[in-house]
Amino acid sequence: MTFWGRMLWTLLSSPWGRRGGTQGWAFSSWQPHPPLAGLLSATELVNHWTEVFEKKDIPEARESSEYIVAHVLGAKTFQSLRPELRTQPLNPQQLQCIQELCSHRLQRMPVQYILGEWDFQGLTLKMAPPVFIPRPETEELVEWVVEEVAQRPHVMRGQDGPRILEVGCGSGAISLSLLTQLPESQIIAVDKEEAAITLTCENAQRLRLQDRIRVIPLDVTLEGSWAHLLPWGPMDLIVSNPPYVFHEDMEQLVPEISSYEDPVALNGGEDGMNIIAHILTLAPQLLKDYGIFLEVDPRHPELVNRWLQRHPDLYLNLMAVRRDFCGK
């Protein structure tokens, strides 16, 4: 017996693209960078801190400098600054603020946490450690879901619009992007971490989307966890960027990831399949008749396919795989 709608899509990505990374806010060996003397312009500061970061082997040295300087001057990007703001001297307060933020970058803190916000799919979201930082690759997952909904309106749009479950909502990036691009949709977003639940709720309120999303603390690895979602009815689809890093790869993650982001949001167990398998097991209990969209490691489609073959009672089939813009 097969179900046409019970499909599984995957978007391939790489753990090395998971830039950003537990809560170690300081290293004992770090010493503050000496303060700058004299009045400097934004351009001079960017050049100065780029040189400092490069000498300390800080990744994306110029981009980091530009984002920090622009942020202090009230802009999203350095390129968006008015020409006169790039050349006029900064006041002492601005210089001190840049000094402090760049000092955090020298500790390998991700720029997203330093700025306290980041854009995803055109939405400005609050960021706070140790909640997982959304990556550019995940924007493609959102775009894929939106495409599929648009192509199958007769399946996805009931009287109240599509109902979507996100497993592992983190900052709320995926859910809130889908709500914005699918105006009739309703979303149930779950996460086991209190920090993620709090941040998703805050971002939903900032974007005035709180009336269309229910954020629920839930650990999908617990037996019978799906029963907590039954009151909200069957779901049209499930979407997730689950922890999928192979355990052996965790030690190779850059400090921006390993020293700041919650390892629970990254570590997928020995073969990266721990949470993926729980999502697949959960799906038949909750799905109406459509599909699951997952971001996974390039090694996972074969592993997922073999896993599904061992669980024919789930009536799930791997239908499509896409590589991300990095070709992974």
Side-chain angles (χ1 to χ4, degrees):
M1 182 178 182
T2 59
F3 289 89
W4 173 84
R6 292 273 169 94
M7 303 178 187
L8 171 67
W9 283 261
T10 62
L11 174 72
L12 303 186
S13 191
S14 166
W16 320 126
R18 295 193 160 216
R19 299 179 300 172
T22 59
Q23 297 185 57
W25 278 70
F27 296 95
S28 59
S29 60
W30 173 79
Q31 295 295 324
H33 194 271
L36 297 172
L39 296 175
L40 298 177
S41 69
T43 299
E44 290 170 328
L45 279 167
V46 166
N47 291 335
H48 167 77
W49 282 107
T50 297
E51 183 178 350
V52 171
F53 291 157
E54 287 175 343
K55 287 181 178 179
K56 297 293 185 179
D57 295 323
I58 303 298
E60 301 179 334
R62 178 160 292 277
E63 291 87 347
S64 298
S65 304
E66 289 182 344
Y67 274 121
I68 289 172
V69 171
H71 177 75
V72 172
L73 294 179
K76 290 273 189 185
T77 64
F78 190 77
Q79 290 69 27
S80 67
L81 283 172
R82 299 196 310 272
E84 59 270 22
L85 286 180
R86 299 185 196 181
T87 56
Q88 69 185 30
L90 276 67
N91 63 45
Q93 292 78 16
Q94 291 170 325
L95 290 172
Q96 179 64 29
C97 187
I98 291 171
Q99 170 88 22
E100 292 176 359
L101 297 182
C102 286
S103 295
H104 285 304
R105 187 69 188 106
L106 284 171
Q107 298 176 76
R108 302 296 292 266
M109 181 182 287
V111 169
Q112 293 91 333
Y113 289 155
I114 294 172
L115 304 185
E117 63 181 28
W118 200 247
D119 282 5
F120 183 90
Q121 286 279 300
L123 304 178
T124 300
L125 303 172
K126 180 180 177 180
M127 295 288 127
V131 178
F132 184 75
I133 298 168
R135 272 56 169 181
E137 298 89 338
T138 306
E139 297 197 32
E140 296 184 70
L141 179 64
V142 171
E143 292 165 2
W144 196 3
V145 173
V146 172
E147 287 175 16
E148 291 296 327
V149 171
Q151 291 173 11
R152 293 176 169 82
H154 61 289
V155 176
M156 301 297 293
R157 296 180 184 176
Q159 184 177 357
D160 301 321
R163 183 161 297 174
I164 301 169
L165 169 66
E166 183 188 4
V167 178
C169 55
S171 65
I174 293 175
S175 287
L176 299 175
S177 297
L178 290 173
L179 286 175
T180 302
Q181 297 181 52
L182 302 171
E184 297 178 354
S185 63
Q186 299 283 329
I187 289 185
I188 309 298
V190 304
D191 203 294
K192 63 183 289 187
E193 301 298 326
E194 182 180 353
I197 293 294
T198 300
L199 190 57
T200 292
C201 289
E202 186 170 344
N203 279 323
Q205 291 172 349
R206 283 160 59 110
L207 297 169
R208 299 181 180 180
L209 293 169
Q210 68 273 16
D211 293 339
R212 294 170 51 209
I213 183 171
R214 288 188 178 272
V215 187
I216 302 172
L218 186 72
D219 184 349
V220 297
T221 67
L222 298 179
E223 185 176 355
S225 60
W226 58 271
H228 296 281
L229 301 174
L230 289 180
W232 288 278
M235 306 294 167
D236 290 295
L237 63 86
I238 297 172
V239 61
S240 180
N241 178 14
Y244 61 71
V245 179
F246 286 53
H247 182 71
E248 65 180 6
D249 294 336
M250 290 292 292
E251 294 181 358
Q252 302 177 46
L253 297 176
V254 296
E256 281 82 356
I257 299 177
S258 61
S259 297
Y260 289 93
E261 289 186 282
D262 186 355
V264 172
L266 296 157
N267 194 338
E270 183 179 356
D271 58 1
M273 284 283 295
N274 281 5
I275 303 302
I276 294 172
H278 280 288
I279 293 173
L280 298 178
T281 302
L282 175 85
Q285 312 293 337
L286 298 171
L287 274 176
K288 189 182 298 182
D289 59 1
Y290 197 50
I292 312 163
F293 292 80
L294 302 175
E295 180 178 324
V296 298
D297 184 277
R299 293 165 286 184
H300 276 135
E302 183 179 350
L303 293 175
V304 168
N305 212 19
R306 291 208 301 260
W307 190 93
L308 290 175
Q309 290 173 6
R310 295 196 303 270
H311 297 82
D313 55 310
L314 297 179
Y315 304 111
L316 288 171
N317 297 294
L318 179 61
M319 300 301 296
V321 175
R322 284 190 185 183
R323 296 187 179 274
D324 64 23
F325 63 83
C326 297
K328 297 179 178 178

